[in-house]
Amino acid sequence: MKAIVDCDSFYCSCEKVFKPELKGRPIVVLSNNDGCIISRNVEAKSLGIEMAGPYYQARELIEKNNVAVFSSNYNLYGDMSQRVMAVLKLLAGRDRIEVYSVDESFLDLSHIPTEKLEEFSVEIKATVERWTGIPVSVGIASSKVLCKLANRFSKKNKGVMLLDTDEKITAALKETMVEYVWGVGRRLAIKLKAQNIITAFDLKNVNEEWARKNLGGVVGLRLIKELRGIPCIPMHDPLKVKKMITTSRMFGRKVATIEELREAVASYISRAAEKLRRQYCVAGIIKVFVVTVNNNPKEYAPESLALEVKLPVSTCITPIFLQHALPLVDQLYRPGSMYLKAGIILSDLISENSVQYNLFMEPDSENQKKIMEKMDNINFSMRNDVIKFASSGILRNWRMRQDFISQRYTSRWEELKEVK
Amino acid sequence: MKTIKMGINEFNAANYKGSKTFNQWDVQSANATGFGAAADDFMERGIDLNEQLIRNKPATFFMRVNSNAMQNAGISKGDVVIIDRSLKPLSGKVIIANLNGEMLIRRFEKIRNKVRLLPEADKLSPIEIDASCCDFSIWGVVTYVIHVP
């Protein structure tokens, strides 16, 4: 059997751990730049505040109901997520966890005897909550799709739902609309409903040949089998090496000058190159993109422009990326345009040990690598990008807006929670 | 609970705030001869405070005390306390309590079913926890104090 452990309204729960005065109050957390609502607790949900809705649209509802509003505090959420995952690793075993996202993990429970599954899950839930303060719910079943389905019912069942018998599975399938099945998107749900496939139970009973034809080939077939309790989606290797690294952000305000645009791109390159080195890879292609918007207030038509360059030798050295990518910004820039967003993508990633030599170019020298390593170490331990490239700017006026950010309780001495 | 005495300057002035890693190249005398070479054989990683102060990493949190409620227990305003949420709050332990939306540091007392939060300061009185009147829970157990003398 497998399980999924899902943190309840994760970002809101993180804020609540350090603010007991929020008990019972509706909470929402906003996305980067305070644009959209990306997390809401049960109380906020019941007010009718929508997920992913723009903040300004919900503002009246928020103010009227005294909803607590937070900007996203990724330092805090990242730290709390690591704690939750560390507890899960300890309880289930280091090799039995697949961290699926910041707030959910699949566990391989094949080593737990069937009659102990419920007890074990209750213990997992209680321990995570006691140790980290983050409430979680657990769904247990034979396949990943059924785990996700079980998890939907766990909230009404003290946070743990075990789908171990055919009767329980059938009842759960019949109660779940197709759009809530893991892997069924909104568009597919509409298509299925037109075919009179309304519930997960209907979907489970479709003909395999039909599934292969209409649900996207093997993927669809796998989904049907998973619904029937046959595990087809394997547990992933927990340490996945990324094939592509993207760093992009919306600007806090529209940016008009080329200097600011260059600074933003340079700082994203620094961040992406750091991530690249962390997975011991080099990149062969760097792509720069900007999103621009015209000044015509009647017609909001953002436009994305991109340029990429293939590097002579794959590299992980920040200055080399800067040297090749900054000229792309100059080419993309059109005076008079306003920019909303910029980003960079590193691709064609390979392990740093398998670099193709170029007859005319040396690959990264040991010295350059050492400098990068020292820089990463200092930035990691002292934070706030103590060492940065001058091209990435000193003032950084274009940085994101975070008007309602809470303290970084778990990562800064200056911002610890105070007790009386 | 133990108290670590530490000079204010050493604690606050340290501008290197990260954890350090130790490797071969940090042994300054590695290439020396004579006494240096002998000392090298006994070189080992220095004392790591985390090792002593953090028993259960995912359950350990730091907080700053902003009152003199526990002064007589050696915990003063401005001190940092280390909290382990995985420990059982036994009677007599210093705890962080959630009381009506506020976080307090007090000594926990449980005699039969009667729960009290005891301050250790002359001017404060104990708080009796009555399930009907207040919203009370235990946030975690204080394990160490980093005290500025």
Side-chain angles (χ1 to χ4, degrees), chain B residues 34 48 52 54 80 100 118 141:
Chain B
D48 180 356
Q52 175 70 23
I54 301 178
V80 171
N100 299 328
L118 310 176
V141 174

Side-chain angles (χ1 to χ4, degrees), chain A residues 17-18 20-21 23 80 83 86-87 129-133 381-382 410 413-414 416-420, chain B residues 16-18 56-61 63-64 66-67 85-86 98 101-106 135 138-139:
Chain A
V17 170
F18 298 92
E21 68 268 29
K23 193 177 172 184
M80 295 303 281
R83 288 169 186 266
V87 180
E129 291 183 12
R130 183 63 244 165
W131 289 17
T132 67
S381 48
M382 297 181 68
T410 55
W413 286 114
E414 310 80 52
L416 295 178
K417 172 75 188 175
E418 291 192 346
V419 287
K420 278 196 175 163
Chain B
Y16 186 94
K17 292 169 189 173
N56 186 348
K57 200 174 166 205
T60 300
F61 294 85
M63 288 185 185
R64 196 174 291 279
N66 190 19
S67 83
R85 288 182 56 106
S86 68
N98 281 346
E102 221 182 352
M103 285 171 105
L104 302 175
I105 180 166
R106 293 291 189 276
D135 177 20
I138 294 172
W139 201 91

Side-chain angles (χ1 to χ4, degrees), chain A residues 312-314 350 352-366 369:
Chain A
V313 180
S314 297
I350 48 168
E352 63 175 5
N353 298 320
S354 46
V355 181
Q356 280 276 331
Y357 281 67
N358 178 323
L359 194 55
F360 306 104
M361 295 277 287
E362 290 285 326
D364 299 345
S365 75
E366 284 307 312
K369 277 190 200 165

Side-chain angles (χ1 to χ4, degrees), chain A residues 240-242 245 275-281 349:
Chain A
K240 239 187 299 178
V241 172
K242 288 200 184 107
I245 294 173
K275 282 191 201 163
L276 182 72
R277 293 190 289 269
R278 216 180 293 155
Q279 63 174 36
Y280 303 106
C281 282
L349 307 191

